[in-house]
């Protein structure tokens, strides 16, 4: 398996070649080169998954899946007498969730590369776009196969840089520049907590290594090996481990757009639509979920209280984002808030695993939903791109009746809508059902909340579906047409994954203890969630299948709430008030006054004093020998006189 290094080397090489030499290539050639490189990476990822899950290579003697370190090179050696193992290494770790993520990332990225050949055709900066796509893919692949948490942090930040470059691709648009800066600042602020958490964790455990951090004491079954020597150190009533893991989660919450760090993701839609598909489906926003999953044994054994916090933050975020999605009119922003809600669903699943009961089910369900969501959300974003490509607008009011013009987009978008709504037998039904089962066993409040969110999800997705393909048919300036083959073929491929990925025996591959197990559909819960989803779809049908005044009457009846929801509950305005009025206008204004008048005034005083003294004394250095002799003689006489009479 030495070839696995190519999974990282090829996309990085594509980034260098296209980034440095792209200006000498035609746009088409740079796109084909980037796509060809990623096609090789995708094939290697699938071959790796086949060998790991279906051959003896990835299976231990006791039937469990092995955790395999393919290579691990020491980059920075920080060891000393008290911490002999403290070093930062760069390596590649293969285990069930990292291999699964290799498949997800390469599949979606491959489809985005092909799709972009059509969508970005004729765009200025085409070569730059493909170079950054390769960098983004390299960063996410490096993140998921990291052997230690510091390596993950390095690639974590590289993902942030890549997303900034993609969101700001249209850098001549002020809105795109603002969105990129917003995403960068918010996620960097969250990453500050991530870094502090890493430093606290490594200080007490004396390691960055994931294998050591997540190693479980086989006898105690309540403490991981590296934490057994910490002695229950406490700070402000919380264990140091809980504080460190909470800070690490805050970093993940920023990347995965959990409340209150969610504000950057809707504005990130200013980037190209294929880049939005890549960010939302397979890469950046699921990094936070993957981070918690990677450290899940530590959270479960050492900080179950933090898992509770994760569950409740996820539950609130999923409901909050779903309500906002019901009121948005920009189709990409509907999908953006849908992503926030669905990522929060995954966080809930991980969080409820710390409540007891189905300990492993929530973990498995979260990773399963991550996999299925990547497929149907990429389908939705790419289909939205085809629609925008046809009508030249993101607004629903510019759409309607498009089923007559865009059959392939209509069917693929519909399949993805049914999947995200959790309708049998599509993939979303199976993964979402297991999350609800895990929530039901752990916390009834979270269960009912997530069931309600499932209904809202079905409603806002079919509100979007009916508004685009049915409803009122506006007068188009140009007759809409189906997207070219290099755009609809990836849609069809992802639709196949959307249909069948729920039938994979996921629990046999992904589990907390690396030992596969069987899960079964709990039909009372599945039927209940399906009924709720059908109610949501039915409500959307009544309101939006044909143009009528019912939606307006409902909006007027709940005018205040609707206004608040459509303005995202003014969270952005609150942030602007805090930053502009309180921080910049208050705290920073006082600091700026002190800096200008006290600090600068003191430095100006020093300069003025120096100049004044210099002006007064510079006559001494006149260059006149007679003056120097006179001063010398008078000085000698003065010294002699003082010596004689004092």
């Amino acid at each position: 398996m030495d070839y696995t290094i190519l999974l990282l080397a090829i996309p990085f090489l594509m980034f260098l070649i296209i980034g440095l030499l792209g200006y000498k290539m035609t746009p088409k050639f740079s796109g084909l080169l980037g796509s060809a490189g990623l096609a090789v990476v995708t094939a290697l990822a699938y071959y790796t998954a086949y060998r790991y899950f279906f051959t003896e290579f990835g299976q231990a003697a006791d039937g469990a899946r092995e955790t395999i370190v393919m290579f691990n090179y020491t980059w920075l050696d920080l060891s000393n007498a008290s911490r002999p193992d403290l070093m930062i290494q760069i390596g590649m770790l293969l285990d069930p969730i990292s291999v699964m993520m290799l498949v997800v990332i390469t599949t979606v990225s491959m489809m985005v590369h092909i799709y972009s050949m059509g969508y970005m055709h004729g765009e200025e900066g085409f070569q730059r776009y493909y170079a950054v796509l390769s960098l983004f893919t390299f960063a996410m692949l490096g993140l998921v196969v990291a052997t230690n948490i510091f390596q993950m942090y390095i690639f974590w930040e590289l993902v942030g840089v890549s997303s900034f470059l993609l969101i700001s691709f249209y850098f001549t648009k002020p809105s795109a520049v603002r969105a990129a800066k917003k995403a960068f600042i918010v996620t960097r602020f969250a990453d500050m907590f991530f870094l502090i958490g890493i430093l606290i964790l490594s200080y007490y455990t004396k390691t960055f290594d994931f294998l050591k951090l997540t190693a479980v004491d086989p006898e105690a079954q309540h403490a991981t090996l590296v934490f057994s020597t910490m002695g229950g150190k406490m700070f402000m009533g919380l264990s140091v481990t809980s504080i460190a893991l909470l800070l690490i989660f805050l970093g993940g919450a920023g990347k995965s757009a959990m409340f209150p760090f969610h504000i950057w993701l809707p504005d990130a839609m200013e980037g190209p639509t294929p880049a939005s598909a890549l960010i939302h489906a397979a890469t950046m926003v699921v990094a936070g979920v993957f981070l918690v999953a990677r450290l899940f044994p530590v959270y479960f054994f050492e900080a179950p209280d933090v898992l509770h916090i994760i569950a409740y933050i996820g539950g609130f975020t999923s409901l909050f984002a779903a309500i906002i999605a019901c009121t948005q009119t920009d189709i990409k922003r509907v999908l953006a808030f849908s992503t926030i809600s669905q990522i929060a669903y995954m966080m809930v699943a991980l969080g409820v695993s710390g409540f007891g009961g189905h300990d492993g089910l929530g973990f498995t369900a979260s990773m399963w939903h991550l996999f299925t969501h990547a497929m149907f959300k990429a389908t939705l974003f790419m289909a939205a791109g085809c629609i925008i490509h046809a009508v030249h607008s993101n607004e629903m009011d510019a759409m309607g009746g498009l089923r007559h013009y865009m059959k392939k987009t209509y069917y693929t978008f519909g399949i993805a809508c049914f999947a995200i709504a959790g309708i049998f037998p599509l993939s979303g039904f199976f993964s979402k059902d297991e999350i609800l089962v895990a929530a039901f066993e752990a916390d009834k409040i979270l269960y009912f909340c997530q069931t309600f969110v499932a209904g809202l999800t079905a409603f806002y997705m079919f509100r979007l579906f009916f508004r685009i393909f049915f409803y009122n048919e506006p007068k188009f300036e140009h007759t809409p047409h189906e997207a070219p083959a290099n755009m609809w073929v990836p849609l069809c491929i992802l639709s196949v994954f959307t249909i069948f990925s729920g039938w994979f025996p996921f629990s046999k591959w992904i589990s907390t203890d690396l030992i596969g197990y069987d899960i079964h559909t709990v039909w009372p819960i599945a039927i209940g969630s399906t009924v709720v989803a059908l109610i949501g779809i039915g409500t959307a049908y009544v309101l939006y299948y044909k143009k009528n005044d019912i939606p307006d009457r409902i909006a007027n009846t709940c005018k205040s709430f609707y206004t608040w929801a459509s303005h995202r509950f003014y969270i952005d305005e609150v942030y602007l008030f805090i930053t502009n009025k309180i921080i910049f206008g208050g705290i920073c204004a006082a600091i700026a006054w002190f800096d200008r008048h006290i600090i600068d005034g003191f430095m100006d005083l020093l300069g003025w004093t120096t100049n004044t003294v210099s002006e007064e004394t510079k006559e001494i250095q006149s260059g006149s020998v007679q003056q120097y002799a006179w001063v010398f003689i008078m000085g000698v006489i003065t010294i002699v006189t003082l010596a004689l009479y004092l």
Side-chain angles (χ1 to χ4, degrees):
M1 297 275 284
D2 291 341
Y3 68 85
T4 51
I5 186 63
L6 296 176
L7 290 167
L8 299 179
I10 292 176
F12 184 67
L13 186 62
M14 292 298 102
F15 162 67
L16 292 178
I17 293 175
I18 300 175
L20 296 176
L21 303 176
Y23 71 97
K24 294 185 177 180
M25 305 175 187
T26 63
K28 184 177 182 180
F29 181 78
S30 63
L32 290 174
L33 180 62
S35 301
L38 197 62
V40 175
V41 174
T42 305
L44 293 176
Y46 274 76
Y47 180 63
T48 301
Y50 166 75
R51 290 201 60 189
Y52 185 83
F53 287 118
F54 297 104
T55 70
E56 295 180 356
F57 172 77
Q59 193 156 348
D62 59 357
R65 298 291 171 188
E66 280 199 276
T67 298
I68 305 168
V69 177
M70 298 307 302
F71 61 89
N72 211 19
Y73 299 115
T74 299
W75 179 43
L76 294 175
D77 191 345
L78 307 175
S79 59
N80 53 44
S82 60
R83 288 177 170 80
D85 297 327
L86 190 58
M87 57 187 67
I88 299 175
Q89 296 174 311
I90 301 292
M92 175 175 282
L93 182 150
L94 297 182
D95 70 342
I97 60 172
S98 64
V99 174
M100 180 270 292
M101 286 298 296
L102 290 178
V103 173
V104 170
I105 294 166
T106 55
T107 300
V108 176
S109 186
M110 184 71 246
M111 296 302 105
V112 168
H113 272 71
I114 298 172
Y115 179 93
S116 297
M117 292 286 289
Y119 189 90
M120 301 298 291
H121 178 72
E123 289 280 2
E124 185 178 354
F126 188 90
Q127 296 93 325
R128 170 169 52 89
Y129 171 80
Y130 267 88
V132 178
L133 276 189
S134 297
L135 179 65
F136 203 121
T137 305
F138 163 72
M140 269 308 297
L141 291 173
L143 187 154
V144 299
V145 299
T147 58
N148 61 83
I149 195 169
F150 211 92
Q151 179 186 343
M152 176 181 278
Y153 182 76
I154 294 170
F155 283 96
W156 185 279
E157 294 302 321
L158 190 56
V159 169
V161 172
S162 305
S163 66
F164 174 83
L165 295 174
L166 286 174
I167 296 168
S168 63
F169 176 79
Y170 300 115
F171 58 86
T172 56
K173 288 175 57 180
S175 59
V177 175
R178 286 194 300 269
K181 290 192 294 184
K182 187 176 184 179
F184 195 79
I185 292 170
V186 172
T187 53
R188 293 297 72 70
F189 179 73
D191 291 349
M192 174 188 67
F193 297 111
F194 185 16
L195 180 58
I196 295 171
I198 291 173
L199 297 176
I200 294 174
L201 194 66
S202 62
Y203 177 81
Y204 283 101
T205 61
K206 300 179 176 60
T207 184
F208 296 113
D209 192 86
F210 281 131
L211 293 183
K212 294 178 181 178
L213 287 171
T214 58
V216 178
D217 187 336
E219 297 180 0
Q221 284 295 311
H222 68 271
T224 50
L225 292 173
V226 294
F227 293 94
S228 59
T229 59
M230 289 182 62
K233 292 180 174 62
M234 305 291 288
F235 178 74
M236 297 181 64
L238 291 173
S239 70
V240 172
T241 311
S242 294
I243 293 173
L245 292 176
L246 180 60
L247 291 171
I248 288 172
F249 165 69
L250 290 178
K255 197 73 80 180
S256 291
M258 295 293 97
F259 183 89
F261 300 123
H262 67 284
I263 60 170
W264 68 268
L265 191 57
D267 292 346
M269 298 301 95
E270 293 292 339
T273 300
S276 299
L278 191 59
I279 291 172
H280 285 250
T283 53
M284 186 172 179
V285 293
V286 298
V289 178
F290 180 82
L291 172 63
V292 177
R294 169 60 73 210
L295 292 173
F296 183 78
V298 186
Y299 280 99
F300 184 81
F301 289 110
E302 296 298 324
D305 51 337
V306 179
L307 280 181
H308 297 181
I309 295 172
I310 292 172
Y312 289 120
I313 290 177
F316 175 79
T317 303
S318 66
L319 178 61
F320 176 82
I323 291 172
I324 295 175
C326 294
T327 64
Q328 300 300 297
T329 58
D330 183 314
I331 64 173
K332 287 179 68 176
R333 278 180 166 74
V334 173
L335 296 179
F337 281 105
S338 170
T339 298
I340 295 172
S341 183
Q342 294 301 302
I343 297 297
Y345 240 93
M346 303 172 204
M347 288 293 192
V348 169
L350 288 172
V352 298
S353 294
F355 285 64
H358 286 248
D359 294 334
L361 181 58
F363 178 89
T364 300
S366 178
M367 295 296 98
W368 198 358
H369 200 57
L370 188 157
F371 186 89
T372 59
H373 174 265
M375 302 308 163
F376 55 69
K377 185 53 63 70
T379 304
L380 288 167
F381 265 106
M382 291 185 187
C386 293
I387 295 161
I388 294 168
H389 188 265
V391 302
H392 307 292
S393 174
N394 292 20
E395 290 294 324
M396 294 182 190
D397 290 339
M399 303 167 193
L402 289 179
R403 69 188 186 281
H404 301 304
Y405 308 98
M406 306 176 71
K407 291 291 185 182
K408 298 180 182 69
T409 305
Y410 167 64
Y411 287 119
T412 53
F413 197 94
I415 290 170
C417 284
F418 278 110
I420 196 173
I423 301 301
F424 182 86
L426 302 177
S427 58
F429 168 83
F430 297 97
S431 58
K432 187 174 290 187
D433 175 65
E434 297 308 321
I435 292 177
L436 293 176
V437 171
F440 181 83
E441 293 290 333
D443 188 293
K444 298 299 187 292
I445 294 176
L446 280 173
Y447 164 72
F448 286 113
C449 174
Q450 297 313 107
T451 301
F452 180 61
V453 171
L456 288 178
T457 302
F459 170 75
Y460 67 67
M461 286 309 307
F462 277 87
R463 169 181 176 262
L464 183 62
F465 179 73
F466 291 132
R467 286 291 305 270
I468 293 173
F469 296 104
F470 295 89
Y471 203 59
N472 180 51
E473 184 171 340
K475 293 182 180 179
F476 298 109
E477 293 183 8
H478 305 284
T479 302
H481 57 84
E482 188 61 83
N486 51 13
M487 291 175 68
W488 64 257
V489 168
L491 274 179
C492 294
I493 294 172
L494 288 169
S495 296
V496 173
F497 277 99
T498 298
I499 294 170
F500 295 108
S501 59
W503 294 91
F504 296 164
F506 214 77
S507 61
K508 291 186 178 297
W509 301 337
I510 310 291
S511 62
T512 53
D513 58 3
L514 305 181
I515 299 176
Y517 65 102
D518 292 318
I519 57 176
H520 305 283
T521 302
V522 180
W523 286 108
I525 292 178
I527 292 172
S529 64
T530 301
V531 169
V532 170
L534 291 175
I535 292 173
I537 295 172
T539 305
Y541 177 85
V542 171
L543 297 179
Y544 299 106
Y545 182 75
K546 291 183 179 179
K547 188 173 183 178
N548 59 79
D549 63 347
I550 300 177
D552 292 333
R553 284 193 280 130
I554 294 174
N556 290 329
T557 302
C558 311
K559 189 172 183 179
S560 296
F561 183 77
Y562 181 86
T563 301
W564 276 67
S566 62
H567 287 85
R568 312 178 194 178
F569 293 98
Y570 296 99
I571 301 296
D572 289 70
E573 286 76 4
V574 171
Y575 273 105
L576 287 175
F577 175 79
I578 292 173
T579 53
N580 291 339
K581 299 296 184 181
I582 298 178
I583 297 177
F584 296 150
I587 299 172
C588 291
I591 295 173
W593 182 92
F594 183 83
D595 180 66
R596 285 194 302 270
H597 294 83
I598 306 301
I599 303 299
D600 288 354
F602 178 71
M603 299 307 296
D604 291 342
L605 177 62
L606 289 178
W608 177 84
T609 303
T610 302
N611 287 334
T612 302
V613 172
S614 175
E615 288 291 336
E616 295 297 328
T617 60
K618 68 181 182 180
E619 295 298 330
I620 297 174
Q621 301 294 329
S622 64
S624 172
V625 176
Q626 294 89 337
Q627 180 185 353
Y628 294 162
W630 170 254
V631 171
F632 175 76
I633 292 170
M634 294 305 297
V636 170
I637 293 172
T638 302
I639 292 172
V640 171
T641 302
L642 290 174
L644 291 174
Y645 292 97
L646 292 180

